[in-house]
Amino acid sequence: MSGLDLSLRPEAAEIRHVQFCRPGKIEEGARLTNAQKHLWDIISLYEDGAPQLNMSASVDISPGKQLGDVLASIGWLIERYESLRTYYERGSDGGDPRQRVLFQGTIPVNIISAEPENLASATSAITSRLQEVPFDLSSKQLIRCAVILVDDEPRRIVFVLCRLNADGWSKAIICDELARAIEHGSQEIPESVMRSPAEQAIWEQSPEGQSENRRIVDYWKNQLKVFPRAMFIAQSPAVERPRWWRGELKSPRLGAACGALSKQYGVSIATIFTSAFSMFFAYMNRTEFCAISSVVSNHFQPELIAAVGNFPQNAPNFLSLRGATFGDILRSTEYDALEGYMCGSYWPPEINREISRAGEQRGIEIELDILFNIGARVGRDVDAKPPPERSVDKTPPTFRWRSSAELDHNRFYVESFDPSSITLCADTQFISKEDIRLLLHGVERLICGAAEDFQGSPWDVVREAGVGRLKTGANWVQIDNCWVDLEAVSDSICSTGIVQHCAVFPMSKEAGVGLVSYLASDRDDFDAREFFGGIRKELLSLRTTMLPRRYVRCDAAPAANQSEQSWRRQSVLEEGAVFG
């Protein structure tokens, strides 16, 4: 890719080409890691190349540095990490993509001039322009870079990376090492001995890697047995415009409270945030559990702790929130989260098949609609000062909108990389913008109240926050941890025109978990199993429905009362299992 014209004034733009050369064995092309393949599949869903998944960062430069030295440090960084020189190719037969590493080449660096008072606005403008263009994954340049000059001195580096080549943890490593190289010289930084993505891909195919994959898949299987279809049922067809809203609350009081609770209970701050948000999600859904997935940084492995590449994956957690105190809930969540953390590595491709299989076996389609991304550095090393006295909330959350394409894999996204800051990005089909604000303030009050030895039930704080709850009608029931609209199921069945009358009911405890469908059809060639197989996809995918496990075909529908007893009094033609 040639340099982008990113200047604030056209005459201020210049492009320098930075050379890199790192001798090594030219590879024919390595397979993608499980993590890369999973992300590749996600990117492939977007016709525009998913520029929203590009990752940006910046590095400040102290005064007095020479542009030539800064450019040399950029070249050194690219030489240092294979992932920054990696591009992708599909096989000639259209098979799985392969990753290839460049051993020499150049990268264009945009040189931009800005006035001292415009450094922040210039950074924002340049970052947006670098980030808004999707990467061509077959391009041999999957990093974009700009240097901002102030009074002819380099003062800031801005770069954008393809997320296939680096994750959030990698970004921190890149920024730290580039800053050190510019300030003290690259010769002061030891050679990296970490595993590259290509080496990770080879390891994943080894006997050790395959054994690890099986352990991870087994953990997913056990979690998915109890996962609901999704935590949330859409409440409003008339959504906000824009559809996605991002609320961020910053509170020094919250940070102090997190530090105190972390020290008191011996849990991570990630556990504190996860517990608090999960309580609100459970309350909104009228349940005592919360099914979530969490971003897991696999850099805790010794060979990856300082590696640059795409390594994090998601781990599912089914959290029980029945503790009498917030401390009880914290301890339970910490235990569950640690188990998931150790089983969230690398996302083997079998996981996608297990998610689909687990749903079909239960007559639903499982959707992981809540994602937590709590920074690994938000840990136990926070200054645990006593929290300040209880005070009135003074800092309202700030809202920024995002397009629906940005987060439509997760309806709720919780993020924090600072104990004093929490962010919730949500789909307004499932929660109003006002409730996003109420929920963030409620989380702050819950955590701060627990740190200040609040004597009441933590659920009182959740209820008093005023966040709206799932609205269920008389025909709604909870089956197998899923909210099901019985009328919606019967309406879907009757809408085919093949069945004239239908009613669905929860199965008895003796019969098992699921729905039983009573139906009547005037077609002589009616085949119940074939019929349900035909509408299987629709019933599995709708959030308010479930595929019945059993059917009972009657000669006619009851004349008046539509209870299960009235259907049972009809002449039964046949009955049996729909699937499984």
Side-chain angles (χ1 to χ4, degrees):
M1 181 191 78
S2 61
L4 298 175
D5 180 7
L6 302 174
S7 60
L8 301 181
R9 306 187 310 276
E11 66 272 20
E14 179 187 357
I15 296 174
R16 297 283 188 93
H17 290 272
V18 175
Q19 293 186 339
F20 60 86
C21 181
R22 181 67 179 240
K25 179 181 177 181
I26 299 178
E27 299 191 27
E28 291 298 321
R31 58 171 286 138
L32 270 59
T33 66
N34 290 333
Q36 288 173 318
K37 182 59 168 64
H38 178 67
L39 189 56
W40 174 283
D41 291 340
I42 291 176
I43 292 174
S44 300
L45 297 175
Y46 295 91
E47 294 181 359
D48 63 355
Q52 64 270 18
L53 294 176
N54 295 344
M55 183 172 60
S56 64
S58 63
V59 175
D60 288 336
I61 305 169
S62 59
K65 298 297 185 289
Q66 299 298 312
L67 178 59
D69 294 336
V70 170
L71 295 177
S73 295
I74 293 173
W76 164 84
L77 182 74
I78 294 171
E79 291 175 351
R80 179 174 173 83
Y81 290 110
E82 281 190 4
S83 61
L84 301 183
R85 297 179 273 118
T86 296
Y87 67 103
Y88 304 89
E89 290 182 348
R90 280 200 177 276
S92 57
D93 58 352
D96 288 340
R98 313 285 287 184
Q99 55 181 316
R100 296 180 181 273
V101 178
L102 286 172
F103 295 104
Q104 61 181 355
T106 62
I107 175 176
V109 178
N110 297 267
I111 311 300
I112 312 297
S113 295
E115 299 298 328
E117 64 272 16
N118 292 332
L119 179 58
S121 59
T123 301
S124 177
I126 293 165
T127 301
S128 296
R129 296 183 192 181
L130 283 173
Q131 196 166 6
E132 66 189 5
V133 180
F135 280 104
D136 177 359
L137 298 180
S138 62
S139 166
K140 296 183 179 181
Q141 291 171 353
L142 295 182
I143 179 172
R144 299 172 185 154
C145 191
V147 177
I148 304 176
L149 306 181
V150 175
D151 296 332
D152 295 326
E153 282 193 355
R155 295 306 304 275
R156 182 167 292 167
I157 300 172
V158 176
F159 57 89
V160 171
L161 300 167
C162 174
R163 199 170 295 260
L164 268 173
N165 290 15
D167 54 29
W169 186 293
S170 301
K171 181 172 73 171
I173 295 170
I174 291 169
C175 290
D176 176 67
E177 292 188 349
L178 183 56
R180 287 163 56 198
I182 294 171
E183 191 66 28
H184 306 293
S186 59
Q187 68 276 5
E188 299 298 321
I189 302 176
E191 184 73 13
S192 174
V193 295
M194 295 290 104
R195 187 185 288 169
S196 71
E199 291 169 334
Q200 172 70 13
I202 294 171
W203 176 85
E204 288 175 1
Q205 295 304 304
S206 69
E208 181 185 5
Q210 291 295 301
S211 175
E212 175 71 0
N213 283 353
R214 288 190 293 271
R215 184 178 70 89
I216 296 164
V217 172
D218 287 343
Y219 170 77
W220 273 81
K221 284 182 179 178
N222 289 330
Q223 290 290 307
L224 292 171
K225 288 177 182 177
V226 292
F227 256 56
R229 168 192 296 102
M231 277 296 293
F232 287 92
I233 306 296
Q235 292 295 286
S236 173
V239 297
E240 301 276 355
R241 291 292 183 267
R243 175 173 164 182
W244 292 88
W245 283 86
R246 176 187 178 94
E248 180 181 7
L249 185 148
K250 293 185 177 181
S251 166
R253 178 169 169 250
L254 176 65
C258 284
L261 288 174
S262 176
K263 183 176 181 180
Q264 180 179 354
Y265 293 104
V267 300
S268 69
I269 293 176
T271 292
I272 296 171
F273 285 150
T274 300
S275 299
F277 274 98
S278 294
M279 288 180 68
F280 275 89
F281 293 146
Y283 170 79
M284 292 166 64
N285 200 42
R286 298 179 182 271
T287 62
E288 295 181 313
F289 63 82
C290 190
I292 68 170
S293 58
S294 301
V295 173
V296 174
S297 172
N298 296 316
H299 291 263
F300 64 84
Q301 302 284 0
E303 63 276 6
L304 298 176
I305 195 166
V308 170
N310 178 265
F311 298 108
Q313 292 304 307
N314 297 353
N317 279 125
F318 186 83
L319 305 177
S320 174
L321 302 168
R322 294 175 178 170
T325 68
F326 192 56
D328 293 337
I329 294 173
L330 288 179
R331 294 187 184 97
S332 174
T333 300
E334 176 89 348
Y335 176 83
D336 292 336
L338 286 175
E339 184 181 11
Y341 190 82
M342 299 304 296
C343 295
S345 308
Y346 317 130
W347 196 289
E350 294 85 356
I351 288 176
N352 291 327
R353 292 193 288 270
E354 287 302 326
I355 293 174
S356 177
R357 184 180 298 117
E360 287 196 356
Q361 289 172 347
R362 295 163 55 201
I364 59 177
E365 185 174 274
I366 295 174
E367 180 177 334
L368 307 177
D369 57 350
I370 299 176
L371 177 65
F372 281 80
N373 186 9
I374 310 297
R377 290 188 172 93
V378 180
R380 295 185 174 87
D381 56 348
V382 177
D383 184 12
K385 297 177 182 178
E389 293 298 322
R390 185 181 298 272
S391 60
V392 178
D393 297 328
K394 296 180 180 179
T395 307
T398 57
F399 290 95
R400 296 195 300 271
W401 67 269
R402 288 180 168 180
S403 64
S404 62
E406 192 153 354
L407 286 170
D408 60 9
H409 286 281
N410 301 99
R411 307 303 180 184
F412 289 78
Y413 176 74
V414 177
E415 179 182 84
S416 176
F417 302 103
D418 178 345
S420 300
S421 176
I422 49 178
T423 296
L424 173 62
C425 192
D427 181 347
T428 55
Q429 273 193 313
F430 302 87
I431 185 174
S432 70
K433 186 172 67 172
E434 173 62 13
D435 278 347
I436 294 174
R437 184 186 69 81
L438 293 175
L439 195 153
L440 287 168
H441 277 304
V443 167
E444 182 198 28
R445 283 193 292 271
L446 176 61
I447 293 172
C448 292
E452 296 164 7
D453 294 324
F454 172 65
Q455 298 301 310
S457 166
W459 290 104
D460 291 338
V461 180
V462 174
R463 283 188 288 269
E464 291 166 4
V467 179
R469 306 186 75 182
L470 173 69
K471 297 179 178 64
T472 60
N475 56 310
W476 284 62
V477 294
Q478 194 175 54
I479 300 174
D480 204 10
N481 292 332
C482 300
W483 282 109
V484 179
D485 184 346
L486 301 180
E487 187 174 316
V489 180
S490 59
D491 286 349
S492 295
I493 293 173
C494 290
S495 66
T496 62
I498 299 174
V499 171
Q500 286 70 48
H501 303 281
C502 175
V504 293
F505 305 96
M507 292 170 57
S508 65
K509 292 182 179 180
E510 296 76 15
V513 178
L515 295 178
V516 57
S517 172
Y518 291 82
L519 47 88
S521 173
D522 56 11
R523 293 180 54 164
D524 295 334
D525 60 346
F526 179 79
D527 185 314
R529 293 176 68 89
E530 181 179 324
F531 169 76
F532 281 108
I535 64 170
R536 182 187 189 96
K537 184 177 181 180
E538 179 185 359
L539 287 173
L540 286 178
S541 61
L542 295 176
R543 280 179 175 244
T544 56
T545 62
M546 175 182 280
L547 185 66
R549 297 186 69 91
R550 295 191 62 81
Y551 71 91
V552 179
R553 183 187 176 194
C554 301
D555 63 345
N561 183 6
Q562 290 289 312
S563 67
E564 185 172 8
Q565 292 78 8
S566 64
W567 274 93
R568 270 293 178 187
R569 285 194 289 268
Q570 301 299 113
S571 177
V572 175
L573 301 179
E574 62 172 325
E575 60 181 301
V578 170
F579 64 95

